[in-house]
Amino acid sequence: MSSLLRRNRFLIPRRIVQVSLLVVFVGANLSGWKVLQGNYSAAHVFESFYLADPYAVLQMLVAGFILNIDVIVGAVIILLIYGLLLGRGFCSWVCPMNIVSDLAHYVRRKTQMNRLDEKMPIKRDTRYWILVLSLVVSVFSGVAAFEFVSPVSMLHRGIVFGFGFGLAAVFMVFLFDVFVVRNGWCGYICPLGAFYSFIGKFSFIKVNHAKEDCTMCGNCFAVCPERQVLSIIDKQSGSIPNSECTNCGRCVEVCDDDALHFGKYTKLK
Ligand code: SF4
Ligand code: SF4
């Protein structure tokens, strides 16, 4: 494997998955493809069963919607896949906003904006408060509150139906990530990412660290969108315990000492 391919061995399949999903959604809308019909909140798969975003379904349920049992089962399937297996993998492998956020992170690094990284104007747990707020607003408004303002939905609608206001919203997120807060939307604000962090606490697949191989070069800190999860680096061996890790694999790709690997959950020691 050439070094470029090895350096991007997770990034390439992540982009393939993200772009393929967008293509099949567009294909469903423009050409009637039956692979995935719907959107990131709920999709009909091969016209035989549903997959649904459990956070969107939760908002609809607390808002008072009566949902088809097939959609609820679809949400439970997704809940089990991420909760038991993939952790917050939705953010780095599926969500199309990850492409925008990674691009902003790249621009920020290349333009030396990352020298401001130590002075973040907001706290990481803001997203959990927004998650709670979105559910409370859903209860009182009778609508799934976050779905109305979600850049994820706007990006999807923009690509499928043609960009309008959606493009402006996504561009604002990009500017926010470049000029205001590193990984600002996904790392501090998005309640959907917070939801997947919450349910992914006990997932099976984790990034594991081998302390004895670590030379503390700092490569992983430079690329990680959620650097706070790397607090065990050079201190303990075992799985990264913080479920805010998106399982993107960037740290594994850039670790020249092979101190980081994907693997099953392992206790810290
Ligand atoms: S944090 Fe939100 S917008 Fe970012 S990748 Fe995750 S779900 Fe998508
Ligand atoms: S620890 Fe590694 S896999 Fe987890 S978010 Fe950071 S770079 Fe991605």
Side-chain angles (χ1 to χ4, degrees):
M1 201 187 325
S2 80
S3 104
L4 187 66
L5 279 178
R6 187 175 157 72
R7 279 246 161 200
N8 295 286
R9 61 194 186 277
F10 300 112
L11 180 64
I12 293 167
R14 285 200 292 120
R15 291 293 179 258
I16 290 173
V17 172
Q18 289 161 334
V19 172
S20 304
L21 284 170
L22 283 170
V23 168
V24 290
F25 276 132
V26 171
N29 196 262
L30 296 184
S31 308
W33 293 358
K34 312 285 186 216
V35 183
L36 272 182
Q37 295 169 288
N39 53 43
Y40 289 88
S41 299
H44 204 190
V45 187
F46 294 114
E47 291 192 309
S48 53
F49 65 96
Y50 282 90
L51 291 176
D53 164 18
Y55 171 53
V57 166
L58 183 61
Q59 288 172 79
M60 287 188 250
L61 289 175
V62 299
F65 284 72
I66 310 286
L67 294 178
N68 186 325
I69 187 68
D70 292 347
V71 173
I72 295 177
V73 170
V76 172
I77 293 171
I78 293 294
L79 196 67
L80 292 175
I81 290 174
Y82 289 106
L84 298 180
L85 202 62
L86 303 176
R88 198 184 157 196
F90 173 85
C91 288
S92 56
W93 288 82
V94 174
C95 182
M97 279 303 290
N98 173 255
I99 301 172
V100 177
S101 129
D102 278 358
L103 179 63
H105 188 181
Y106 177 80
V107 171
R108 197 174 164 94
R109 284 204 342 256
K110 290 292 169 195
T111 55
Q112 305 295 315
M113 292 291 294
N114 55 0
R115 67 187 185 281
L116 304 172
D117 282 355
E118 300 315 317
K119 301 179 221 146
M120 292 304 174
I122 48 178
K123 290 196 179 349
R124 290 266 181 199
D125 58 5
T126 305
R127 51 189 156 180
Y128 298 102
W129 290 108
I130 295 174
L131 171 61
V132 173
L133 183 68
S134 69
L135 294 175
V136 172
V137 174
S138 299
V139 170
F140 289 104
S141 65
V143 295
F146 179 65
E147 301 312 301
F148 271 101
V149 294
S150 163
V152 185
S153 313
M154 287 189 200
L155 181 60
H156 172 259
R157 278 199 296 270
I159 289 173
V160 173
F161 301 111
F163 278 114
F165 176 70
L167 176 62
V170 171
F171 190 57
M172 277 161 60
V173 169
F174 175 76
L175 294 180
F176 178 67
D177 276 19
V178 173
F179 293 108
V180 185
V181 181
R182 172 185 166 163
N183 195 39
W185 172 261
C186 299
Y188 295 78
I189 295 175
C190 180
L192 181 53
F195 181 85
Y196 279 109
S197 296
F198 193 68
I199 64 170
K201 197 131 195 92
F202 302 105
S203 61
F204 187 69
I205 296 177
K206 300 279 187 195
V207 172
N208 290 332
H209 174 53
K211 184 185 161 218
E212 61 280 8
D213 294 328
C214 177
T215 54
M216 202 51 195
C217 65
N219 286 354
C220 53
F221 286 95
V223 295
C224 179
E226 300 273 352
R227 285 181 303 171
Q228 74 286 1
V229 310
L230 292 171
S231 58
I232 63 163
I233 296 297
D234 195 42
K235 297 190 186 85
Q236 287 175 287
S237 291
S239 296
I240 287 180
N242 189 324
S243 56
E244 286 165 353
C245 167
T246 64
N247 276 345
C248 66
R250 284 302 283 152
C251 57
V252 180
E253 290 169 331
V254 300
C255 180
D256 296 326
D257 305 304
D258 280 337
L260 291 161
H261 300 274
F262 275 120
K264 67 179 175 55
Y265 168 78
T266 312
K267 262 188 164 177
L268 286 177
K269 53 181 190 283

